[in-house]
Amino acid sequence: MTCLYSPDGSSFAMALYDYTITVYATSNWEKLSILSGHDQYVSSIAYSPNGDHIVSGSYDSTVRVWNIPTGDCLHIFIGHNNYIYSVAFSPQGNVIASRGSDGILRIWDVDTGGCLSVISFCGYINDQAFSPKGDNIAFGTQDCTVRLWDVVTRECCSILIGHTTWITSVAYSTQEDVLISTGGDGVVRVWDVEAGTYRHSFQTDGNPVISPKGNQIATFKTWDDKEMELWDLETGARIRTLDHKNVYSVVYSSQGDQIISGGEDMTVRLWDIDTGECRHMMTGHAKAVRKVLYPPKGDHITSLSDDWTVRLWNVGSGTSRKISNHHSGSVLSIKHLPKRNQIATCSQDSTIRLWDAELGVCCRTLIGHSKWVYNIAHSPQEDQLVSCSKDTTVRLWDVESGACRYTLTGHTGEVNDIAFSPQGNQIASACDDNTIRLWNVKTGECQRVLEGHSSEVWMIMYSPEGNQLASTGMDGTVRLWNTGTGICQHAFTDHINYIERMDYSPNGNQIVSGSWDMTVRLWDVKAGVSSHIFIGHQNQVTRVAYSPRGDQVASASRDEKTVRLWDVVSGECRHTLIGHKKQISEITYSPRGNLIASWGCEGEARLWSVDTGNCCWTLEYDTAITTGYSYVQHSVAWMDSDDDAFMTGDCDRSVRVWDVTEKDGQYSVRMRWRSTNGFLDVEEACVQDVQGLSDHNKRLLKQRGAVGEPNLRLREAGKKAMAMTSVVSTLKSSPGTKASDMSSIASTISSRGTQISKPSKRRIQRHLRTSRYIL
């Protein structure tokens, strides 16, 4: 992706991987237009000086000029025979320069669409820049020269000689009297444009960015752990270094008093030029930051990341001001807050999000962790959330305000699990440093460090009464701790391999554990002995759960792809649930204990009757997204004290809520809502033009960008009709259903002047209820 602001900062354009360019109004961040026409990746875009037009270059070898208000393509420039790398408007806006992978620079007339110049006589051209007046264009070539091209006479007016390697970049100062060029050997040369001579040179070994004042440059390098450096342009002396390594993008503020950098460490940093102090380090991106921008108005910072998000940061506070309403990484944990009717999720994107459980609207995003957030837990009063992260910290959040109350530090490894005590006065955290820490909720202080495990601690649980804490992990033991004294009461050591999961019985008298030794064990908490060994799995046991009824436990083997139900009294296997085709990542009982949901990799789900062992419902949908890991768990949880709905979080970055209904012993499941992932929306759809929709369905549509109070101007009527057609055509009702199968619905909407015919209430409501992808 690539993005930039208009010259006056009133709009923001972003080229996406779907070959389109989306333009937003920065006043409210609503879409102004979508420019579509390229049939390959859009590699470069540029605004005209007045901000009314955009020029784009694509891997389809074409250059296009667009009218932003209308969205029309005004010109298609054809001439390059390969990818377009760079496009630029001249300062006057009457000429466009384009550079391709063919090494040729072409100059185009904006009014006529004609090609004015084809520059290819000097070898491969690596970079180009218009002079501030627009009468010249400078470019660097592989013949180690910098050449100045007169745009009017269409002739080379100057050749600057001095580099000994090919030229990688060129840039004019704002005063136009100075030109800087960088060679492949890292040597920067400062040229007097009028005289055609170079003033001095210096070695930087990085990519240069010239300040708006023209008195200094910043250099950065994307590898070798190279720090940023500031250089005096007049003397060539190095002013200072800025401690940000492996930087991908640097930009000066419009006044030249600040620098913004973004890099491989996923951070955006704001620097004071005079002191070299880092004023803010902004965290939240889940992958490398590829580009940073400072808009003309200078009221915020924009960053573009490999995590597929664009973030806007408040300059004063260093906090993210706007963010998309979906996770940009796999969802790792999901919890229900029944008193608030909200759902909390955490993700690889280092954020925590709160959702309206009924509508799926993202209510709040909690930002502070710098790496994956592994788990979350809420206080009994639901006024606080606690989170644990790969960044070695635990954070305590205020749910109402979204503010971080405390950052709990002390662990020296990744914090794998977190738990709130039933009384809400204590937090426990489990870590790769082999310890468990107990924290005081009111003060944020560490009360105790529990030591005894010989390896990483993966899971912790408070007993129902809260006076005991169970822990387990990589050393294959289950340990029970007194939460008041911190003393280890029992250590269960009979397993001979890792333990991934354990669970307390409803009354707290027993604990069930599942191990990679292929066994499930039931432990007597008071006696400290194993009361049952459940044998039957033929592979590692990775998930266990205790039934809310207290009469059975469930266990799952990831690779064996089976779930087994065990009688806790007799120790017998009641049912073996067979049917999964892929690894099982999670199992969970319904609140009444009559159903169990099992979730497999890549969206394979099943619902089972506990009494009969029969499969009541199946679903398969593709959630495959590259995560960098061959296995990422899916999060599944039933809504508390509600047998009729459960929640899921997937590696496709989405959150879903499913409604379960039962009639005459037959179960059916439909999706209530799904968080959008940015690929489908209903932008500009007018719900008021569709009669008979319930308030609930209207709010669902508005959540996806539909318009509640349209402005019925003639120019917009056609757009609304097309938008509504697009809405209905993208609502898909069942697995495998294609958008083309919805043509019977889409055909009910047409445009006649300013009149828009309406789909029937029953049809729209049916597709809103059954939509798998949008709502």
Side-chain angles (χ1 to χ4, degrees):
M1 293 188 293
T2 185
C3 57
L4 76 163
Y5 283 91
S6 63
D8 63 358
S10 62
S11 68
F12 177 81
M14 181 165 58
L16 302 174
Y17 285 108
D18 62 0
Y19 316 147
T20 66
I21 303 161
T22 303
V23 183
Y24 298 87
T26 55
S27 58
N28 52 16
W29 293 98
E30 292 183 354
K31 289 181 183 177
L32 294 176
S33 57
I34 298 177
L35 313 178
S36 59
H38 286 294
D39 56 19
Q40 288 192 47
Y41 169 64
V42 178
S43 53
S44 180
I45 55 176
Y47 272 96
S48 62
N50 61 11
D52 290 339
H53 297 82
I54 281 178
V55 60
S56 59
S58 167
Y59 277 19
D60 63 10
S61 306
T62 68
V63 177
R64 293 175 180 254
V65 181
W66 309 87
N67 183 295
I68 295 175
T70 65
D72 296 332
C73 181
L74 304 179
H75 295 295
I76 303 176
F77 300 150
I78 299 174
H80 289 283
N81 58 22
N82 215 322
Y83 303 155
I84 307 298
Y85 283 159
S86 176
V87 291
F89 268 101
S90 67
Q92 290 77 22
N94 61 331
V95 169
I96 288 171
S98 62
R99 179 174 55 86
S101 61
D102 53 11
I104 297 173
L105 182 65
R106 289 178 178 264
I107 312 295
W108 310 86
D109 187 289
V110 173
D111 294 329
T112 66
C115 184
L116 301 176
S117 302
V118 179
I119 306 171
S120 60
F121 58 85
C122 50
Y124 195 95
I125 297 174
N126 291 314
D127 194 21
Q128 84 282 342
F130 276 106
S131 64
K133 293 179 180 178
D135 53 345
N136 289 331
I137 185 168
F139 54 89
T141 68
Q142 277 190 320
D143 67 2
C144 308
T145 66
V146 179
R147 296 174 184 252
L148 304 186
W149 185 267
D150 190 299
V151 175
V152 178
T153 64
R154 306 178 193 178
E155 294 178 347
C156 181
C157 56
S158 183
I159 302 177
L160 309 180
I161 300 173
H163 282 286
T164 59
T165 59
W166 45 279
I167 311 301
T168 58
S169 67
V170 293
Y172 276 96
S173 69
T174 53
Q175 291 78 19
E176 198 172 0
D177 60 333
V178 171
L179 179 74
I180 64 169
S181 59
T182 308
D185 57 1
V187 173
V188 173
R189 286 184 174 260
V190 181
W191 305 89
D192 186 302
V193 175
E194 185 68 28
T197 58
Y198 86 93
R199 296 179 178 178
H200 52 82
S201 62
F202 49 93
Q203 181 76 40
T204 66
D205 195 27
N207 304 306
V209 177
I210 192 166
S211 70
K213 297 178 181 179
N215 61 336
Q216 69 173 215
I217 62 170
T219 59
F220 62 97
K221 197 172 183 179
T222 59
W223 67 94
D224 287 348
D225 288 335
K226 183 74 174 179
E227 296 176 324
M228 294 170 53
E229 296 176 321
L230 300 183
W231 302 82
D232 187 287
L233 203 57
E234 185 65 31
T235 64
R238 184 171 61 184
I239 303 171
R240 63 175 51 87
T241 61
L242 305 179
D243 189 17
H244 198 182
K245 300 175 181 178
N246 297 344
V247 172
Y248 287 117
S249 180
V250 168
V251 64
Y252 278 90
S253 64
S254 55
Q255 294 78 23
D257 59 338
Q258 295 177 329
I259 281 183
I260 302 97
S261 60
E264 190 179 57
D265 63 357
M266 303 179 289
T267 68
V268 178
R269 303 188 187 207
L270 178 64
W271 304 87
D272 185 282
I273 292 294
D274 294 331
T275 65
E277 177 187 359
C278 181
R279 291 182 176 177
H280 293 293
M281 183 173 69
M282 291 152 270
T283 61
H285 281 297
K287 291 186 178 180
V289 178
R290 290 288 176 176
K291 189 169 186 178
V292 289
L293 297 170
Y294 213 128
K297 297 178 182 178
D299 59 340
H300 63 272
I301 295 167
T302 304
S303 58
L304 174 68
S305 169
D306 283 346
D307 65 11
W308 297 79
T309 65
V310 175
R311 291 180 181 244
L312 301 160
W313 308 87
N314 285 328
V315 173
S317 63
T319 58
S320 181
R321 190 174 72 182
K322 293 183 182 291
I323 191 169
S324 58
N325 67 338
H326 62 281
H327 281 295
S328 58
S330 297
V331 180
L332 300 181
S333 183
I334 188 166
K335 297 292 189 295
H336 184 217
L337 285 65
K339 297 176 184 178
R340 306 178 69 91
N341 197 28
Q342 290 182 338
I343 292 169
T345 58
C346 63
S347 167
Q348 288 178 340
D349 66 8
S350 74
T351 69
I352 301 149
R353 295 174 187 267
L354 295 173
W355 310 81
D356 185 297
E358 185 65 23
L359 300 176
V361 177
C362 183
C363 310
R364 193 174 297 281
T365 302
L366 311 183
I367 298 174
H369 285 293
S370 60
K371 295 183 180 180
W372 294 10
V373 182
Y374 285 137
N375 207 354
I376 48 177
H378 62 79
S379 64
Q381 298 78 21
E382 299 181 9
D383 58 338
Q384 296 180 94
L385 275 176
V386 64
S387 57
C388 61
S389 170
K390 189 176 181 178
D391 66 9
T392 75
T393 69
V394 174
R395 286 180 177 258
L396 185 64
W397 309 85
D398 182 87
V399 174
E400 189 64 34
S401 67
C404 179
R405 292 187 56 201
Y406 296 112
T407 300
L408 312 180
T409 60
H411 282 299
T412 58
E414 298 178 11
V415 186
N416 299 312
D417 200 12
I418 198 77
F420 247 112
S421 68
Q423 293 77 23
N425 61 341
Q426 189 181 74
I427 292 168
S429 58
C431 182
D432 277 358
D433 63 9
N434 307 349
T435 69
I436 300 126
R437 287 179 178 256
L438 304 182
W439 310 85
N440 184 296
V441 171
K442 289 185 178 181
T443 65
E445 295 178 352
C446 180
Q447 296 174 318
R448 287 180 177 80
V449 180
L450 311 182
E451 297 178 318
H453 284 283
S454 60
S455 192
E456 301 167 2
V457 186
W458 286 347
M459 186 179 182
I460 49 177
M461 287 187 74
Y462 279 95
S463 64
E465 295 80 14
N467 60 340
Q468 189 179 76
L469 183 78
S471 62
T472 191
M474 200 170 176
D475 63 2
T477 68
V478 177
R479 291 178 176 268
L480 305 183
W481 310 83
N482 183 296
T483 56
T485 64
I487 296 174
C488 181
Q489 299 170 321
H490 297 291
F492 304 139
T493 60
D494 293 351
H495 283 298
I496 57 174
N497 211 327
Y498 306 154
I499 300 173
E500 272 199 48
R501 289 294 173 92
M502 63 181 177
D503 197 9
Y504 269 102
S505 62
N507 59 15
N509 293 331
Q510 291 180 317
I511 285 178
V512 61
S513 60
S515 170
W516 286 22
D517 65 10
M518 299 186 291
T519 68
V520 178
R521 289 180 179 264
L522 201 62
W523 308 91
D524 187 296
V525 169
K526 293 182 179 179
V529 297
S530 175
S531 56
H532 282 297
I533 304 175
F534 303 137
I535 300 175
H537 284 291
Q538 302 302 309
N539 213 310
Q540 301 166 351
V541 179
T542 53
R543 296 292 181 267
V544 292
Y546 219 114
S547 167
R549 297 174 175 176
D551 61 337
Q552 70 174 208
V553 296
S555 60
S557 175
R558 180 186 299 158
D559 295 325
E560 187 185 335
K561 307 178 183 70
T562 63
V563 179
R564 291 177 181 261
L565 306 182
W566 308 89
D567 189 292
V568 298
V569 177
S570 67
E572 297 178 353
C573 180
R574 291 184 180 178
H575 300 291
T576 300
L577 312 182
I578 301 174
H580 275 284
K581 301 174 184 177
K582 300 173 183 178
Q583 294 179 339
I584 298 172
S585 60
E586 193 61 85
I587 58 173
T588 178
Y589 278 98
S590 63
R592 289 201 297 269
N594 61 322
L595 297 172
I596 192 167
S598 57
W599 220 257
C601 293
E602 299 179 15
E604 184 190 21
R606 275 166 168 67
L607 192 65
W608 311 84
S609 168
V610 168
D611 297 325
T612 66
N614 294 330
C615 183
C616 309
W617 170 77
T618 62
L619 173 69
E620 293 185 23
Y621 62 95
D622 184 17
T623 65
I625 282 191
T626 300
T627 60
Y629 288 77
S630 59
Y631 174 80
V632 176
Q633 77 172 53
H634 294 232
S635 302
V636 185
W638 289 82
M639 308 284 267
D640 293 355
S641 303
D642 185 351
D643 231 11
D644 301 321
F646 60 93
M647 316 164 291
T648 61
D650 291 317
C651 65
D652 69 351
R653 312 164 187 159
S654 68
V655 179
R656 294 172 171 88
V657 170
W658 308 83
D659 289 313
V660 181
T661 56
E662 186 269 336
K663 184 177 181 181
D664 299 329
Q666 299 295 317
Y667 288 91
S668 62
V669 180
R670 68 176 180 85
M671 191 167 65
R672 183 188 301 177
W673 56 262
R674 174 202 176 189
S675 63
T676 178
N677 62 5
F679 294 110
L680 293 174
D681 58 40
V682 289
E683 204 69 39
E684 293 192 33
C686 176
V687 295
Q688 286 182 328
D689 286 342
V690 182
Q691 296 180 350
L693 285 178
S694 67
D695 289 339
H696 173 76
N697 285 336
K698 284 183 180 179
R699 291 171 70 185
L700 284 172
L701 282 169
K702 290 179 71 175
Q703 173 206 346
R704 300 292 182 252
V707 180
E709 297 179 0
N711 188 352
L712 293 177
R713 290 181 290 182
L714 287 174
R715 185 173 63 83
E716 296 183 348
K719 289 174 65 178
K720 291 174 184 175
M722 292 176 65
M724 199 55 181
T725 302
S726 175
V727 172
V728 180
S729 67
T730 53
L731 293 175
K732 303 180 181 181
S733 59
S734 61
T737 301
K738 299 179 179 179
S740 58
D741 298 333
M742 302 293 292
S743 59
S744 60
I745 303 298
S747 63
T748 64
I749 305 177
S750 62
S751 174
R752 298 189 182 99
T754 59
Q755 300 296 316
I756 302 177
S757 58
K758 291 90 177 173
S760 68
K761 173 182 178 181
R762 183 175 298 177
R763 273 186 169 183
I764 291 293
Q765 287 181 331
R766 181 173 71 249
H767 289 285
L768 283 169
R769 287 196 303 270
T770 58
S771 165
R772 289 180 57 233
Y773 293 98
I774 296 181
L775 307 175

